[in-house]
Amino acid sequence: MATEDSASRSAGETSRPHAPVRRGRFADKLATARMHNFVGREEEVELFRRALRGEPSAPSVIVLHGPGGIGKSALLQRYAVEARGAGRPVVSVDTRTIYPSPTAFEQAAAGALFQDDCVLLVDSFERCQDMEEWVRNRFLPRLPTGVLVVLAGRLPPDPLWRADLGWRDLMRVVPLPELDADQAAALLAGQGADPTAHGELLSFAGGNPLALRLAAEVAAHGTTDGTEWAPSRTVIEQLLSHLVGELPSPAHRRALEVCGHALDTTEDLLRVVLPDEDATQLFAWLRQLPFVRSGRFGVYPHDVIRDSLDSDFRWRDPDRYMAMHRAIRRHLVERIRNAPEREALRATGAYNYIISRAPWIRKFHGSRDEGGAYEDTARPEDAAELVRMARETEGEQSAAAVEYWLARQPESFKVHRRYSSNELLGFMAWLRVEWPDEDVRRADPVVADAWDAVSDMAPPRPGEHIGVARFMVHRHTPHRPSRAWDLVHMRIIFELLRARHCAWSCVVMADPGFWEPLMTYMDMFQPLGRSGRTPGLFCHDWRSVRVDEWAEGIDVRLLSGPPDKPAEEPRGVSVAVTREEADAAVREALRNWLDPDALAVSPLLKFRIIEADDGPEAVAALQEVLNKAVQRLEANPRTRHLHSVLTMTFQSSLTQEAVARRLNMAFSTYRRYLTRAVDEVRERVWLWETQGHLPD
């Protein structure tokens, strides 16, 4: 007697046709879907087709290499479809699924040993690194001559492949680049990503196919309310897991965090930021990672990995992230202020990079897809073109001002050229203004207005000047972010950090509404309440907020998001004394540090921060000022090494040569450190006097 269940099956069986229907395999559907979603790699596919046809110049072994997520596996899958379409059998070996030994490899690839027209595709070949010599010298030579081999891995092949005269002719090494902009956009479109989000997706993922697919998947299920897209934590975690994987130790993680934050990483930088670790060993490890490139000035990760590392670290451990950032920043600022100009400019670019890592700041910088640009000194033959460019972009008054300043301060002009063609893209000038005479006021009302604006608040004193960023003129991108505009930002920061006796810095922006968040981030404010003031004038008083405090403020704002209100005018205090007199008096007071009679006639006793009338109390107050300024040297890691140089020089009876010997320094190094130490004390005393108070 049949059960109900068996009866139901019998009824169902009688209704089916007796002849089976062939519907194909699921693998066929997968292959079709992969072909449909495959984007780019035209050159690599064409190379494989030539090899399939056995053309004389085609290789017998193709070695693909590139970082995780770049599309190696997808390309191998495409190769398999091409090979089967040409009627050739395919043997695929994924070394992630086998034990990395010669025996296991040979068993997985056995089909290629007995089929003359076979195509052998090996994925994740980096796992075979320990037996690469065996593959090259023992396994591959046993294959039939008609076999076509493709090895794909994260690492480039061992140099011994190329050293072998036979393999050099038979193989082709193909580094897989990122997809170009058009291919990346096509991939996003195929994934169904909202077209309005393409810009943000491309900015994050670049041309990395895995990052593009992950980001597109999230964006396709996100909102389209006009808010700026940003990668989710899930996207970042999946990318780091796939592209970076497990790290050997906490020290290696810290080195990778530095590499993800800095523009370029060197042994020297690792030694500064990670003083307790083996910088040489960590740098050697970084440079062999498949997603890390070597450049002229150090190593750096692929953009999508760099951004993911930095974003993850900032989210995961904000305090340690900021400590790392500050260590890198101090190192770079030290180089900017003290290195020769060419090296200092490179350090300025690196500093500008690390203070721009917050996602919201990227809208103020040029796109990665733009052609590169470089800064050049303006040449006499450029003058007519600069005037013409200013006239076309900003009008006749600006052109006349350019012509005037080219005659008065030609060294202040910097031009920006395209790397690929040397095309003149634009220019700027950093003007040093000590007093706007009538000629200046007639020729350039903007500079005159900047001077008047800051003078209404805290006028420059004799010996001081203001720095004015003028003529940010760019033909293709007027007053909007570009790679050339990035050079403007770099030059302004360079001039600010290198300046001596600069009372104010002023920048005139043609579209202040757009640039105001960035200006606020850089602690520049718009002076208010002046009729006739130049629109878009932003200022900073360097006597009120000195370089160290300015840089610390930027560090704090780096983690706090876009500023919610414009910067406010500082409450600095100005005094009518010359800077040169003050500098000379500080040095003389240091020489007489322990001599009250000599200090009793110091011009510094007239400073308002000396809160005693005269006599021993005034001298004691002056000694306290000097002591506090010198103690600041020891408290700051950037200047700690200067403290012993200065105190031993001025608080002992030793000669300078004897001090240098006592400190185990070359005399030239000692003199350089002493000059810097005195300059630091001068700057500190002057700052306290202009602010009108001493710290507790």
Side-chain angles (χ1 to χ4, degrees):
M1 178 178 179
T3 64
E4 180 180 352
D5 189 47
S6 63
S8 298
R9 286 199 301 271
S10 299
E13 287 167 1
T14 59
S15 64
R16 295 191 191 118
H18 293 286
V21 177
R22 293 187 60 85
R23 300 173 184 263
R25 297 178 304 162
F26 203 82
D28 299 328
K29 297 178 69 175
L30 281 174
T32 301
R34 287 167 178 161
M35 287 287 287
H36 176 72
N37 292 313
F38 189 84
V39 173
R41 308 301 186 204
E42 289 85 0
E43 293 183 9
E44 291 82 359
V45 171
E46 180 56 31
L47 173 65
F48 183 75
R49 287 172 175 167
R50 289 174 41 232
L52 278 178
R53 295 192 295 266
E55 295 184 6
S57 61
S60 298
V61 176
I62 299 173
V63 182
L64 307 173
H65 69 89
I70 203 66
K72 300 181 296 294
S73 297
L75 185 55
L76 287 182
Q77 291 164 359
R78 175 62 183 265
Y79 283 176
V81 172
E82 295 282 340
R84 292 190 180 102
R88 298 184 63 167
V90 174
V91 174
S92 295
V93 178
D94 187 342
T95 63
R96 292 172 297 182
T97 64
I98 64 172
Y99 187 78
S101 70
T103 300
F105 185 92
E106 185 165 328
Q107 288 176 349
L113 291 168
F114 308 107
Q115 302 179 81
D116 187 62
D117 60 345
C118 180
V119 174
L120 174 61
L121 306 176
V122 181
D123 202 357
S124 302
F125 189 64
E126 71 275 1
R127 288 174 54 84
C128 298
Q129 194 171 13
D130 291 339
M131 59 179 187
E132 190 171 351
E133 182 180 2
W134 174 83
V135 172
R136 181 178 65 250
N137 294 331
R138 302 287 298 278
F139 178 77
L140 292 182
R142 294 163 51 203
L143 295 176
T145 57
V147 172
L148 173 59
V149 179
V150 182
L151 308 175
R154 298 190 175 195
L155 304 175
D158 189 301
L160 291 176
W161 289 83
R162 294 183 182 275
D164 188 304
L165 298 181
W167 282 119
R168 189 170 60 184
D169 289 343
L170 294 179
M171 71 181 295
R172 180 77 57 83
V173 178
V174 181
L176 280 187
E178 294 185 340
L179 300 177
D180 64 30
D182 292 338
Q183 294 167 345
L187 188 151
L188 291 176
Q191 295 290 113
D194 183 350
T196 62
H198 278 199
E200 289 84 2
L201 296 175
L202 291 171
S203 177
F204 163 71
N208 185 286
L210 175 63
L212 286 164
R213 294 185 190 280
L214 289 174
E217 181 178 352
V218 173
H221 295 88
T223 62
T224 56
D225 57 1
T227 58
E228 184 172 317
W229 182 89
S232 66
R233 302 278 13 127
T234 300
V235 168
I236 290 174
E237 288 167 7
Q238 289 181 359
L239 278 173
L240 293 179
S241 175
H242 185 83
L243 306 184
V244 177
E246 294 295 323
L247 299 174
S249 73
H252 290 83
R253 175 173 291 281
R254 288 193 289 272
L256 194 58
E257 290 164 350
V258 173
C259 193
H261 189 65
L263 180 62
D264 297 289
T265 299
T266 60
E267 274 192 41
D268 181 43
L269 181 62
L270 292 176
R271 198 172 293 114
V272 169
V273 182
L274 307 174
D276 299 328
E277 307 295 347
D278 185 342
T280 300
Q281 187 270 332
L282 291 175
F283 183 76
W285 172 76
L286 282 174
R287 70 189 304 182
Q288 59 84 36
L289 293 175
F291 52 83
V292 171
R293 300 168 177 169
S294 295
R296 290 178 60 194
F297 306 115
V299 298
Y300 58 97
H302 287 255
D303 288 336
V304 66
I305 301 175
R306 182 203 292 274
D307 291 344
S308 297
L309 285 167
D310 201 57
S311 174
D312 180 69
F313 187 24
R314 187 168 60 241
W315 167 79
R316 176 168 43 84
D317 195 341
D319 290 342
R320 198 159 61 85
Y321 177 88
M322 185 51 64
M324 174 203 65
H325 168 84
R326 285 194 172 110
I328 297 173
R329 184 259 296 169
R330 293 187 187 110
H331 173 70
L332 294 173
V333 170
E334 175 79 10
R335 288 172 58 198
I336 295 168
R337 301 184 74 180
N338 298 295
E341 181 166 345
R342 184 178 295 275
E343 181 183 346
L345 273 172
R346 289 200 299 269
T348 306
Y351 175 68
N352 194 33
Y353 182 82
I354 67 168
I355 64 173
S356 305
R357 297 313 311 271
W360 72 268
I361 302 177
R362 291 175 188 165
K363 67 177 286 189
F364 299 103
H365 291 269
S367 168
R368 292 167 177 165
D369 297 330
E370 290 183 61
Y374 69 96
E375 182 190 87
D376 193 13
T377 302
R379 308 163 190 164
E381 59 268 24
D382 293 325
E385 181 61 21
L386 302 189
V387 173
R388 180 164 49 253
M389 193 178 293
R391 181 178 294 110
E392 294 172 354
T393 307
E394 298 187 341
E396 194 61 48
Q397 186 181 69
S398 180
V402 169
E403 193 167 19
Y404 173 82
W405 288 113
L406 278 170
R408 292 280 291 267
Q409 293 187 23
E411 71 284 356
S412 300
F413 283 77
K414 304 297 177 183
V415 300
H416 309 132
R417 304 184 193 276
R418 194 181 301 281
Y419 269 120
S420 57
S421 62
N422 275 337
E423 174 193 1
L424 182 60
L425 299 172
F427 67 96
M428 71 161 293
W430 179 263
L431 302 174
R432 178 188 174 104
V433 183
E434 297 180 355
W435 178 258
D437 57 24
E438 289 305 315
D439 285 347
V440 171
R441 291 184 176 277
R442 283 193 298 270
D444 195 347
V446 171
V447 166
D449 201 41
W451 180 276
D452 293 341
V454 301
S455 295
D456 285 350
M457 295 176 284
R461 296 172 291 268
E464 294 181 336
H465 68 277
I466 69 171
V468 184
R470 277 290 273 136
F471 315 121
M472 282 81 83
V473 174
H474 291 89
R475 179 182 288 123
H476 303 307
T477 54
H479 310 296
R480 275 297 181 270
S482 67
R483 297 289 288 275
W485 268 86
D486 292 347
L487 297 173
V488 172
H489 304 157
M490 183 186 74
R491 171 54 61 174
I492 290 174
I493 291 174
F494 174 84
E495 297 292 349
L496 295 181
L497 295 181
R498 299 268 288 195
R500 294 289 184 268
H501 303 171
C502 180
W504 289 88
S505 58
C506 301
V507 179
V508 180
M509 309 300 290
D511 187 353
F514 175 81
W515 293 103
E516 184 178 73
L518 182 64
M519 294 294 100
T520 299
Y521 179 67
M522 302 300 291
D523 198 31
M524 302 195 75
F525 68 95
Q526 290 186 278
L528 303 176
R530 291 190 67 251
S531 60
R533 177 177 58 84
T534 298
L537 175 65
F538 293 87
C539 306
H540 180 91
D541 184 353
W542 292 101
R543 299 160 302 180
S544 175
V545 180
R546 201 177 162 215
V547 166
D548 288 343
E549 288 83 359
W550 174 77
E552 286 285 345
I554 290 177
D555 290 349
V556 172
R557 292 187 288 275
L558 181 66
L559 290 179
S560 60
D564 55 2
K565 62 179 181 178
E568 297 179 353
E569 180 179 327
R571 294 184 175 89
V573 180
S574 181
V575 293
V577 296
T578 69
R579 179 63 186 273
E580 284 72 18
E581 290 174 352
D583 284 350
V586 168
R587 184 173 183 87
E588 188 65 20
L590 288 171
R591 289 197 184 101
N592 300 315
W593 200 341
L594 304 179
D595 186 352
D597 292 336
L599 290 178
V601 296
S602 171
L604 297 178
L605 295 178
K606 300 177 182 179
F607 271 19
R608 291 170 303 128
I609 54 174
I610 306 300
E611 297 179 351
D613 292 333
D614 54 16
E617 291 184 359
V619 170
L622 176 54
Q623 288 175 320
E624 177 65 11
V625 169
L626 295 176
N627 285 334
K628 285 189 173 184
V630 173
Q631 287 167 6
R632 285 296 184 97
L633 292 178
E634 189 174 30
N636 189 336
R638 184 180 66 83
T639 57
R640 187 173 296 147
H641 61 293
L642 305 178
H643 180 265
S644 58
V645 172
L646 187 134
T647 54
M648 194 175 294
T649 299
F650 294 120
Q651 291 187 345
S652 74
S653 58
L654 296 174
T655 65
Q656 291 191 352
E657 290 81 359
V659 172
R661 287 195 298 271
R662 181 76 61 87
L663 294 173
N664 196 26
M665 287 183 184
F667 189 65
S668 60
T669 301
Y670 159 81
R671 291 298 300 272
R672 187 170 70 253
Y673 282 7
L674 178 61
T675 299
R676 283 182 51 202
V678 172
D679 284 345
E680 287 287 334
V681 173
R682 286 172 170 173
E683 291 284 346
R684 182 62 59 182
V685 172
W686 183 251
L687 174 68
W688 291 338
E689 173 65 8
T690 54
Q691 289 182 333
H693 66 87
L694 276 173
D696 294 331

